[in-house]
Amino acid sequence: GQVQEALDDAKRLSQVPDWEGSGQAWIAFANYELGNLDATVTAFQKSLEYRPDAKNLPVRPHEFLVQYARSLIEAGRNAEALELIERSKLIQETEFAYLLEGRVLLSDSNTEAATTAYARAVEMNPLSFEARENLARIALSNDDPKQAEEWVKPIAKQPGLPYSTAVVILETLQKLGIDDGVKVWTGLVEELREEDEVGKKVANLMRTEPDSFWAQIIRVHRFAKAENW
C-alpha cells in the first residue's frame, strides 16, 4: 500500500548521511499509520537521538514532540510523554499539547491538573470537543451537572459532534432531569453510536487492508467529497 511504500522510502532515507533523523521521523509516522506502536516509539526515539533539538525534521519541533508524546501515551509511558509535552509547550503552546496533557493527567486520576490543561485547550479553541467533553465528565464526577452543562452547551449543536461527547450531553441532561432533552438526545446518541461503529470499521479497514477493493473505493469517495477531482 501507499503507507508501506512510504515506510520503505523512509527506511532508505534513514541510511543517507545527515538525513538519518528525518528518515527515522518518517519511519515513525508511517508505522503509526500502520498501527505498529512499538516500531513507532523506537523510530521517534532514534530520530530525537540524531536531532536532540528536534529541528530540521519533517515537521516543526513542537509538532514532532507532541506526536512522539502521543505514541508514548498509547504505549502507557505517561511520565515520558509529559516531559515531551512540556518541551513542546516551551517552544509553542498548542491545543493538541494541552489535550494530550489532559489525557495523561486524567488517566492518572489527577483531575485538578487535568481540568487546568483542558481549560487551557478551550481557551485556545473554544469549540474543542475533547476538552469540553472531558471537563463535563469531571464536573459530573464531582456531582455538578450544572457546570457540566456549561461546558457542553457551546458544542451541542456543532457539526461533527463525536459519539462520546453526545453520551456526556445525554448524561448531563439525565442528571438535570430535563426529560424532553433526554428523549431527543437518546435518539441522537443511538444515531451517532451507529456512525461511530461504521467509522471504526472503516478506519480498521484502511489500516489493515489499505490495498483492498473497498479501501480504494473509500479513498476515491473521500477524494470526491473533498472536491479534489
Side-chain angles (χ1 to χ4, degrees):
Q2 294 178 334
V3 179
Q4 185 59 53
E5 291 177 6
L7 177 57
D8 293 339
D9 289 340
K11 289 178 178 178
R12 286 190 285 271
L13 181 64
S14 70
Q15 302 301 314
V16 178
D18 296 327
W19 287 89
E20 297 95 340
S22 291
Q24 290 295 335
W26 283 117
I27 289 172
F29 300 153
N31 272 306
Y32 186 83
E33 289 299 315
L34 291 169
N36 302 328
L37 188 56
D38 289 343
T40 298
V41 170
T42 298
F44 271 127
Q45 181 179 346
K46 288 181 179 179
S47 182
L48 204 55
E49 289 172 358
Y50 282 110
R51 299 289 183 181
D53 58 4
K55 293 181 179 179
N56 299 314
L57 293 173
V59 295
R60 291 176 293 179
H62 70 278
E63 294 171 335
F64 175 88
L65 292 171
V66 291
Q67 289 187 45
Y68 184 4
R70 177 181 61 180
S71 66
L72 287 172
I73 292 170
E74 293 179 17
R77 295 163 61 175
N78 286 355
E80 296 169 76
L82 278 177
E83 292 179 6
L84 292 175
I85 292 168
E86 288 303 316
R87 281 187 61 185
S88 173
K89 285 160 53 183
L90 288 174
I91 300 170
Q92 183 172 327
E93 292 181 289
T94 62
E95 176 196 359
F96 189 46
Y98 281 106
L99 290 176
L100 290 178
E101 184 177 26
R103 291 178 198 174
V104 172
L105 295 168
L106 198 57
S107 70
D108 290 342
S109 299
N110 191 343
T111 54
E112 184 175 350
T115 296
T116 299
Y118 282 128
R120 183 69 181 116
V122 170
E123 290 177 11
M124 304 193 79
N125 175 15
L127 297 179
S128 174
F129 288 129
E130 180 177 344
R132 287 187 174 276
E133 173 188 327
N134 282 294
L135 286 165
R137 287 187 186 279
I138 293 170
L140 288 175
S141 70
N142 292 329
D143 199 25
D144 191 351
K146 288 297 295 181
Q147 182 61 63
E149 182 184 29
E150 291 302 310
W151 283 122
V152 297
K153 188 180 294 183
I155 56 174
K157 296 183 179 179
Q158 289 298 311
L161 186 76
Y163 164 66
S164 58
T165 308
V167 170
V168 173
I169 293 173
L170 176 58
E171 291 174 355
T172 300
L173 293 169
Q174 290 170 333
K175 289 279 189 179
L176 291 170
I178 303 176
D179 294 338
D180 289 345
V182 169
K183 184 177 181 180
V184 171
W185 278 90
T186 296
L188 289 172
V189 164
E190 180 58 25
E191 290 178 14
L192 289 173
R193 183 190 65 78
E194 294 175 356
E195 292 179 8
D196 185 64
E197 288 182 356
V198 171
K200 288 178 179 177
K201 290 178 180 178
V202 168
N204 184 62
L205 175 67
M206 298 295 286
R207 173 170 290 185
T208 59
E209 301 179 50
D211 293 326
S212 69
F213 170 77
W214 288 111
Q216 294 178 47
I217 291 295
I218 291 168
R219 279 196 292 272
V220 169
H221 173 73
R222 288 176 174 174
F223 192 71
K225 191 173 182 180
E227 298 181 348
N228 288 323
W229 286 106

